[in-house]
Amino acid sequence: MIPFLDLRLATEELRPEIGQAIARVLTSGCYILGAEVEAFENEFAAHCGARHCVGVASGLDALTLLLRALGIGAGDEVIVPSNTYIATWLAVSAVGARVVPIEPDVATYNLDPLQVEDAISSRTRAILAVHLYGQAAAMGALGEIARRRGVMLVADAAQAHGVNLGGVPSAFSFYPSKNLGALGDGGAVVTDDAALAGRIRALGNYGSRKKHLNEVRGVNSRLDPMQAAVLRVKLQHLDEWNRRRRKIAELYLDQLDGIPDLVLPRVAEGSSAAWHIFAIQHPRRDWLARQLALEEIGTMIHYPVPPHLSEAYRDAGYRRGAFPLAERLAAQELSLPLHPHLTGEQVEEIIGSVCLAACVPMEDVA
Ligand SMILES: Cc1ncc(COP(=O)(O)O)c(C=O)c1O
């Protein structure tokens, strides 16, 4: 049996260190913010090559507070990918702005800069790029467009711990299954802009920088010290774990190449990838997933319903066919197991099973 992901494996690898980290918090008597959160923020900022990191309660909060701190709100438009986890859209909606979805580059699954440029209007305040599946979006080209057109560029890096952020304010999730995952919810914004970091910190702490002085109507969204302590342990292993992910991705790319109808992910020239998800496409996706399940190989779909067709955006009036590429991905994408604790044998077994299943001629598929 090869599950898509077993979160216990990472915990088991680091159990003594995680135990010590949790014990440190227990004995500290400090259970909100404090030294542990501060230490993690400094260490994660350094890992990202950024000056500041502000821990918050989740990836969705990181995105929402980032947009709010940039002054984005009602009447503004934010360009987002049509194919992303719905949280990207929800953050824009949460601050009262309008999502302007753009179809992806079919090869990289990320925002296509040419289409982004065409979608910029007088109301556009920001481009919210997503490093989907862990591959960095085309930040160079997007940054150039943003500068030229006078809009902001920010990133949803929820799936991309370890990629080059290109100096762009970026929101992270530490949801347990992420490359850097906590033992619960958590998130952070990373930026070089001290004033922006300060505003996000205040917004997430009841709008307060100083106790009892509330400058704005903020929220309670703080990274938990227990999670910060766990994340500090895991952060020390992130590079090695990402290396293991890359090795597995390279094996998949090499050995699954050339199978008819099977589309493999492609990393754009000069881009970096943290290989959070290995997303293939196949016209008989559901059949392929069933065949792999019969071999006891777990897969997932990221994501079966594109945001524009979700109930949550029904009132926006999008129809089926509005974003054909996002819809095609929803119908054909399949995520193969890819995590640092997969063994070489398991990877070989997955490759063998995908080859066998995907090579069955269409007419033989019931
Ligand atoms: C692309 C993307 N954005 C945002 C989020 C939201 O993160 P969280 O679940 O921590 O709120 C996630 C993960 O769940 C994600 O994959």
Side-chain angles (χ1 to χ4, degrees):
M1 167 98 195
I2 308 176
F4 179 72
L5 179 63
D6 182 348
L7 290 170
R8 289 171 299 190
L9 298 174
T11 309
E12 279 310 316
E13 184 185 325
L14 305 176
R15 201 180 182 104
E17 295 99 308
I18 289 176
Q20 282 164 18
I22 290 175
R24 200 169 58 232
V25 178
L26 292 180
T27 52
S28 75
C30 175
Y31 306 136
I32 297 286
L33 296 176
E36 208 68 54
V37 172
E38 215 172 284
F40 170 71
E41 288 176 339
N42 290 335
E43 288 159 13
F44 191 57
H47 189 272
C48 293
R51 297 166 94 99
H52 307 279
C53 167
V54 183
V56 297
S58 71
L60 176 57
D61 279 3
L63 284 164
T64 308
L65 294 177
L66 170 59
L67 296 176
R68 230 189 121 180
L70 289 170
I72 294 171
D76 295 331
E77 290 180 355
V78 177
I79 292 176
V80 295
S82 58
N83 62 316
T84 180
Y85 182 55
I86 196 169
T88 315
W89 286 38
L90 292 176
V92 176
S93 303
V95 300
R98 197 171 82 84
V99 289
V100 176
I102 296 298
E103 289 270 76
D105 173 320
V106 276
T108 64
Y109 304 128
N110 276 331
L111 275 181
D112 175 355
L114 289 178
Q115 292 193 58
V116 167
E117 172 117 50
D118 288 346
I120 293 176
S121 77
S122 58
R123 289 174 182 265
T124 307
R125 292 287 310 285
I127 302 165
L128 173 48
V130 180
H131 304 312
L132 197 68
Y133 307 144
Q135 180 179 177
M139 299 312 271
L142 292 171
E144 193 275 319
I145 292 168
R147 265 190 305 280
R148 189 157 37 75
R149 302 293 298 271
V151 302
M152 295 179 276
L153 174 62
V154 293
D156 177 342
Q159 303 185 355
H161 313 76
V163 305
N164 181 357
L165 302 176
V168 167
S170 302
F172 285 90
S173 161
F174 302 124
Y175 184 82
S177 64
K178 300 297 193 226
N179 289 31
L180 179 62
L183 300 182
D185 275 311
V189 178
V190 161
T191 175
D192 288 334
D193 182 338
L196 177 63
R199 289 197 299 278
I200 294 167
R201 196 177 290 290
L203 278 171
N205 195 24
Y206 303 107
S208 168
R209 292 171 206 255
K210 258 197 178 149
K211 208 168 173 69
H212 303 306
L213 289 181
N214 299 79
E215 304 161 24
V216 288
R217 294 176 199 157
V219 295
N220 177 353
S221 182
R222 302 177 289 217
L223 182 63
D224 189 292
M226 203 82 86
Q227 302 303 343
V230 172
L231 288 167
R232 290 183 71 194
V233 173
K234 288 189 159 185
L235 181 58
Q236 292 173 38
H237 299 266
L238 178 61
D239 290 343
E240 168 56 23
W241 285 355
N242 277 354
R243 256 193 299 279
R244 288 194 222 163
R245 284 177 183 272
R246 194 168 312 120
K247 263 181 103 170
I248 296 166
E250 281 166 4
L251 279 171
Y252 282 156
L253 287 173
D254 183 50
Q255 296 188 29
L256 297 177
D257 190 29
I259 296 177
D261 295 333
L262 185 100
V263 179
L264 293 172
R266 194 174 68 74
V267 179
E269 192 81 11
S271 178
S272 59
W275 292 110
H276 175 55
I277 284 166
F278 194 88
I280 63 173
Q281 289 174 71
H282 197 278
R284 288 171 284 147
R285 186 267 314 275
D286 294 339
W287 182 83
L288 182 56
R290 274 199 303 277
Q291 293 308 110
L292 294 175
L294 288 175
E295 301 290 326
E296 302 204 303
I297 295 171
T299 56
M300 278 187 76
I301 298 168
H302 295 90
Y303 299 91
V305 182
H308 71 281
L309 296 181
S310 68
E311 192 60 28
Y313 282 92
R314 186 211 273 268
D315 63 348
Y318 297 113
R319 289 181 194 284
R320 192 166 285 282
F323 300 104
L325 288 179
E327 290 171 29
R328 192 178 90 193
L329 281 168
Q332 300 195 351
E333 191 276 344
L334 188 68
S335 306
L336 299 181
L338 174 64
H339 59 79
H341 299 90
L342 271 184
T343 65
E345 250 172 34
Q346 288 175 321
V347 174
E348 287 305 316
E349 205 177 316
I350 294 163
I351 290 169
S353 297
V354 172
C355 287
L356 265 180
C359 289
V360 173
M362 190 70 119
E363 47 283 13
D364 294 350
V365 176

